């Protein structure tokens, strides 16, 4: 498309402004984590490392972090297994109810988090009588993490040539051997990307978590939420927030590099093959 | 791995004597699966379908049922007496009507703002920027926006705070910070959900072949006409996919409302209050049916556009 020079400049400027809008609030959190003023008035009154020291000494933060990592790892493993199976089933076979299952897998992420949260809370507490714990959080997280794995896997499967698997079968490899030696290697990077996004999604989740977590237990987001409104803790929250910004960048950056066919918003916006260029 | 049996179960496929013997790998479970696509499908589908149905669909069904139950006023326990009272209360009480309308208004405003922001930036990244910049810009847009939801809501609390950045920036030009208010909720939610709009739209722009745009230009269409008649129809499913997320995520929010909303109440706030402090799960369930119905209607309306495959 032939855009005039001025149109390009206008679009470029808009993009620049949006990027500023995106980065400015986050930079402010970084700056405030060194701000000597507890109320974060602007401009900052002085520089201090006190909050950083207190954050590193905080046992509550450390425990919440460990819980978060554990929850995210287990839900990622579950969603990797279930998401891959589902993607293979839906991509390879046509069967009655396929569209329903297709809708079912996006439902936990298309419906508001509060619906997922209260539905699971109600099922565990009222219907089943199961006490809320880390495991109820994991079950909840795995349910909506499945879709990121599913999206990444199915996008890759669509681009894979079925000929390779047929050839493998013709050469005498069993179903499992074919998966191990032919299908899985091609899926690997897509699964890694989907898994990383699932991990990030679980690590960050707060709404569903607050409805499914047991009393006295904390993931990192739950810790942040509980300390946000305590004047003495607010500066420490800033530090944790900065660390979270840094941590969350890593999986996204990796997922971005690993996955060519999905930009992966975690909801797997599918990027058409780059052949269009 | 496949179990090995010494005698092949049943006749080997086309097992004439001139064929070489079936390799041992093709026996047992693996062979069974190899022969029967139905079994293969069942093997793939059982676990994930069971999870989705037993965990999620069962939970949604239970939610619907709980909305028809009630809470014993003495014990505070859920009693399984069937009644439409909760649903009637939610539909007829003016407080719930006001909160529902406010929540829908916030969700629509967030969706519109994100659409307006996402279209030019996605277009610039996908179709205007040079190849090297494209990669950089995608990462630049994605990375910070993937930073934690809470961090972003909190960042806006910092921006909006009394004596904070926005007030400091606005004072010289006579603008006031919206403080903690409904406007602040819209602003913050629009910020938080922006990537959920940019990504599908960006993917949509990438799907529009450049040759098609050139053809349109060669046939005399001005950029604006090309945009409207060539690009927009291709983009519609992507845009709708984006709106499903921004709309749905805003509809269920209550944390942002807590952090920057001041006294602003949303549907999520009501649900949360009834599960926690008020301990009235049936009423909370009834309230949560509102966003479910709204989203279901929306999904039903946009189903035919192909948007659901763009999620």
């Amino acid at each position: 498309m032939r855009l005039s020079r001025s149109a390009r400049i206008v679009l470029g400027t808009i993009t620049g402004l949006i990027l500023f809008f995106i980065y400015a609030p986050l930079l402010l959190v970084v700056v405030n984590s060194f701000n000597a003023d507890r109320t974060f008035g602007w401009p900052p009154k002085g520089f201090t490392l006190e909050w950083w020291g207190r954050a590193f000494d905080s046992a509550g933060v450390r425990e919440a972090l460990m819980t978060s990592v554990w929850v995210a790892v287990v839900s990622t493993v579950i969603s990797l297994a279930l998401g891959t199976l589902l993607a293979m089933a839906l991509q390879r076979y046509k069967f009655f109810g396929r569209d329903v299952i297709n809708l079912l897998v996006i439902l936990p992420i298309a419906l508001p988090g509060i619906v997922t949260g209260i539905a699971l809370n109600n099922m565990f507490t009222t219907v089943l009588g199961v006490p809320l714990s880390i495991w109820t959080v994991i079950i909840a997280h795995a349910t909506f993490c499945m879709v990121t794995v599913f999206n990444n896997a199915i996008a890759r499967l669509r681009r894979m040539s079925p000929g390779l698997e047929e050839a493998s079968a013709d050469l005498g490899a069993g179903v499992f051997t074919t998966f191990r030696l032919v299908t899985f290697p091609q899926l690997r990077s897509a699964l890694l990307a989907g898994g990383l996004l699932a991990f990030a999604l679980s690590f960050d989740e707060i709404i569903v978590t607050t409805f499914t977590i047991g009393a006295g237990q904390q993931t990192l987001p739950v810790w942040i939420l509980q300390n946000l409104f305590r004047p003495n803790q607010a500066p420490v929250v800033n530090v944790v927030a900065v660390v979270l910004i840094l941590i969350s960048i890593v999986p996204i950056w990796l997922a971005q590099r690993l996955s060519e066919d999905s930009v992966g918003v975690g909801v797997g916006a599918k990027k058409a093959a780059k052949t269009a260029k | 791995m496949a179990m090995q049996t010494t005698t092949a179960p049943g006749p080997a496929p086309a097992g004439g004597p001139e064929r070489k013997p079936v390799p041992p790998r093709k026996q047992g479970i693996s062979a069974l699966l190899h022969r029967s696509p139905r079994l293969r499908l069942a093997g793939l589908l059982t676990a994930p379908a069971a999870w989705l149905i037993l965990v999620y669909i069962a939970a949604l069904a239970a939610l619907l049922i709980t909305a028809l139950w009630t809470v014993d006023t003495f014990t505070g326990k859920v009693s399984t007496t069937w009644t439409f009272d909760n649903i009637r209360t939610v539909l007829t009480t003016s407080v719930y009507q006001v909160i529902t309308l406010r929540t829908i208004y916030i969700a629509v405003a967030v969706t519109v703002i994100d659409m307006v922001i996402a279209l030019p930036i996605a277009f610039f990244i996908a179709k205007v920027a040079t190849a090297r910049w494209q990669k950089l810009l995608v990462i630049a847009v994605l990375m910070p926006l993937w930073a934690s939801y809470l961090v972003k809501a909190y960042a806006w609390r910092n921006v909006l705070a009394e004596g904070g950045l926005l007030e400091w920036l606005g004072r010289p030009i006579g603008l006031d910070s919206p403080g903690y208010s409904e406007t602040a909720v819209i602003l913050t939610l629009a910020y938080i959900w922006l990537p959920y709009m940019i990504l599908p739209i960006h993917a949509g722009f990438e799907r529009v072949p450049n040759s098609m745009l050139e053809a349109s230009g060669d046939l005399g269409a001005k950029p604006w006409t090309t945009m409207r008649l060539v690009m927009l129809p291709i983009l519609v499913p992507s845009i709708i996919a984006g709106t499903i997320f921004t709309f749905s995520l805003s509809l269920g929010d209550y944390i942002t409302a807590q952090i920057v909303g001041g006294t602003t109440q949303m549907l999520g706030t009501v649900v949360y209050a009834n599960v926690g402090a008020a301990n009235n799960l049936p009423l909370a369930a009834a309230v949560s049916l509102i966003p479910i119905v709204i989203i279901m209607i929306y999904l039903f309306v946009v189903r035919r556009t192909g948007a659901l495959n763009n999620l």
Side-chain angles (χ1 to χ4, degrees):
Chain A
M1 200 155 74
R2 283 164 229 129
L3 284 174
S4 67
R5 197 179 145 70
S6 55
R8 281 165 188 274
I9 291 174
V10 168
L11 277 169
T13 315
I14 293 176
T15 304
L17 280 175
I18 294 169
L19 280 175
F20 173 78
F21 169 73
I22 288 171
Y23 277 89
L26 294 175
L27 284 176
L28 185 68
V29 176
V30 178
V31 170
N32 273 342
S33 74
F34 299 105
N35 190 346
D37 176 13
R38 258 169 217 271
T39 60
F40 312 130
W42 190 262
K45 295 206 172 62
F47 175 89
T48 177
L49 285 175
E50 192 196 333
W51 319 131
W52 280 82
R54 285 202 0 215
F56 279 105
D57 288 338
S58 162
V61 172
R62 264 202 306 274
E63 259 170 53
L65 179 68
M66 294 316 292
T67 311
S68 274
V69 170
W70 171 244
V71 167
V73 166
V74 180
S75 6
T76 302
V77 170
I78 297 174
S79 60
L80 270 173
L82 297 178
T84 311
L85 289 170
L86 196 59
M88 288 178 67
L90 292 189
Q91 207 273 327
R92 303 282 174 74
Y93 302 91
K94 298 231 179 299
F95 55 91
F96 178 75
R98 186 163 164 263
D99 290 341
V100 177
I101 302 270
N102 216 341
L103 182 69
L104 221 58
V105 67
I106 52 176
L107 213 53
I109 209 152
L111 285 179
I114 194 141
V115 170
T116 311
I118 190 187
L120 290 171
N121 174 290
N122 175 55
M123 187 174 72
F124 291 132
T125 59
T126 322
V127 182
L128 299 177
V130 179
L132 298 178
S133 67
I134 288 305
W135 291 100
T136 51
V137 178
I138 289 173
I139 290 172
H141 283 198
T143 307
F144 64 78
C145 284
M146 208 188 299
V147 72
T148 74
V149 176
F150 169 79
N151 273 328
N152 276 276
I154 204 164
R156 179 65 54 87
L157 284 171
R158 282 199 192 110
R159 284 176 33 190
M160 265 162 51
S161 146
L164 280 174
E165 287 177 9
E166 280 160 23
S168 165
D170 285 349
L171 290 168
V175 174
F176 299 109
T177 315
T178 299
F179 179 80
R180 188 163 55 86
L181 297 178
V182 179
T183 317
F184 180 71
Q186 298 182 80
L187 269 179
R188 193 162 38 206
S189 62
L191 290 184
L192 204 52
L196 280 167
L197 290 167
F199 185 92
L201 211 60
S202 162
F203 196 79
D204 184 31
E205 164 57 41
I206 174 75
I207 293 188
V208 176
T209 312
T210 47
F211 280 96
T212 47
I213 199 162
Q217 284 171 316
Q218 288 179 324
T219 61
L220 204 52
V222 173
W223 182 90
I224 294 181
L225 194 62
Q226 285 177 357
N227 287 278
L228 206 54
F229 300 105
R230 295 185 188 157
N232 273 333
Q233 288 288 61
V236 183
V237 171
N238 263 322
V239 177
V240 176
V242 173
V243 175
L244 270 183
I245 295 174
L246 297 178
I247 295 177
S248 57
I249 284 171
V250 178
I252 301 314
W253 182 75
L254 278 175
Q256 188 73 21
R257 299 211 50 175
L258 287 169
S259 149
E260 282 294 77
D261 43 14
S262 60
V263 200
V265 65
V267 290
K270 270 151 271 156
K271 201 173 175 181
K274 298 206 166 175
T275 46
K277 299 271 151 54
Chain B
M1 198 54 241
M3 285 183 295
Q4 302 217 350
T5 44
T6 42
T7 50
E18 72 279 5
R19 297 287 295 255
K20 61 179 178 177
V22 177
R25 278 197 191 138
K26 275 203 162 183
Q27 296 172 4
I29 297 177
S30 181
L32 201 64
L33 288 172
H34 181 76
R35 280 198 306 274
S36 164
R38 271 167 175 271
L39 270 182
R40 281 207 300 273
L41 176 61
L44 291 171
L45 202 57
T46 308
W51 183 287
L52 285 171
I53 292 166
L54 291 180
V55 175
Y56 201 62
I57 296 307
L60 285 180
L63 188 68
L64 184 66
I65 292 168
T66 308
L68 300 173
W69 286 344
T70 174
V71 165
D72 192 306
T73 34
F74 291 109
T75 59
K77 289 224 164 92
V78 174
S79 90
T80 50
T81 322
W82 298 86
T83 166
F84 277 101
D85 281 359
N86 293 314
I87 292 178
R88 196 174 305 128
T89 308
V90 167
L91 289 179
T92 54
T93 315
S94 68
V95 178
Y96 295 120
Q97 291 167 350
V98 170
I99 293 178
T100 302
L101 288 178
R102 182 190 301 130
T103 307
I104 294 174
Y105 161 71
I106 290 176
V108 170
V110 168
T111 303
V112 171
I113 292 173
D114 277 345
M115 210 152 68
V116 170
I117 298 177
L119 277 168
I121 190 169
F123 175 66
F124 182 83
I125 294 174
K127 293 292 169 199
V128 182
T130 57
R132 206 170 73 90
W133 272 99
Q134 280 184 9
K135 255 199 132 125
L136 282 175
L137 282 172
V138 168
I139 292 180
V141 168
L142 283 190
M143 283 209 303
L145 282 174
W146 254 103
S148 162
Y149 165 97
L150 268 179
V151 170
K152 280 180 270 177
Y154 184 62
W156 276 91
R157 190 178 170 83
N158 279 347
V159 171
L160 297 161
E162 226 170 285
L165 183 65
L166 206 61
E167 214 175 277
W168 183 77
L169 283 175
R171 200 177 301 135
I173 48 173
L175 282 176
D176 218 8
S177 162
Y180 303 139
S181 62
E182 190 179 296
T183 316
V185 174
I186 294 175
L187 209 61
T188 308
L189 286 177
Y191 178 80
I192 295 177
W193 306 137
L194 188 58
Y196 291 80
M197 188 68 94
I198 293 183
L199 281 169
I201 294 186
H202 175 256
F205 273 120
E206 293 244 299
R207 267 198 297 270
V208 183
N210 285 338
S211 54
M212 200 185 263
L213 304 181
E214 276 156 29
S216 170
D218 287 345
L219 292 168
K222 295 242 162 54
W224 192 245
T225 316
T226 305
M227 188 101 78
R228 197 163 47 87
L229 296 179
V230 181
M231 271 198 223
L232 204 57
I234 305 180
L235 274 180
V236 165
S238 310
I239 297 175
I240 292 175
T243 62
I244 291 175
F245 284 113
T246 56
F247 185 69
S248 156
L249 289 166
S250 309
L251 212 55
D253 186 87
Y254 70 94
I255 304 239
T256 295
Q258 268 180 15
I259 296 177
V260 300
T263 55
T264 309
Q265 288 226 332
M266 293 177 72
L267 283 173
T269 331
V270 179
V271 174
Y272 181 69
N274 276 303
V275 173
N279 196 20
N280 191 341
L281 252 170
L283 187 62
V287 175
S288 71
L289 293 181
I290 302 175
I292 297 181
V293 169
I294 296 174
I295 287 291
M296 286 302 193
I297 293 174
Y298 190 59
L299 288 181
F300 187 78
V301 169
V302 301
R303 189 179 42 129
R304 295 202 172 274
T305 62
L308 300 185
N309 293 324
N310 284 276
L311 292 178

